[in-house]
Amino acid sequence: EVLRECGAELTDVVRTVVYLTDMATAGDFVRAHGEVFAGIEPVCTAVGAQLATPGLVVEIEVQAIVQRERAS
């Protein structure tokens, strides 16, 4: 939804940064990331972190490149 609001699509994603509260779940995350981004394969960085919002186990930053013509 946020990507669409910016004029982007999932296929425009070039990089993700993932913050995990438990690196033991990294394998599960990598599998899920692979399913969501199948065929797109953006660069992905995973970081172990203590998140500011209690109860969150993952936070994901996404960077996308949008063509100006489509974004307007």
Side-chain angles (χ1 to χ4, degrees), residues 10 27-42 44:
L10 199 59
D28 292 332
F29 172 77
V30 168
R31 279 189 292 284
H33 190 275
E35 290 174 15
V36 170
F37 291 104
I40 303 166
E41 300 179 7
C44 179

Side-chain angles (χ1 to χ4, degrees), residues 14-57:
V14 295
R15 182 171 190 250
T16 60
V17 180
V18 182
Y19 302 93
L20 300 168
T21 58
D22 182 358
M23 290 304 287
T25 64
D28 292 332
F29 172 77
V30 168
R31 279 189 292 284
H33 190 275
E35 290 174 15
V36 170
F37 291 104
I40 303 166
E41 300 179 7
V43 173
C44 179
T45 302
V47 179
Q50 183 176 5
L51 303 177
T53 305
L56 286 184
V57 295

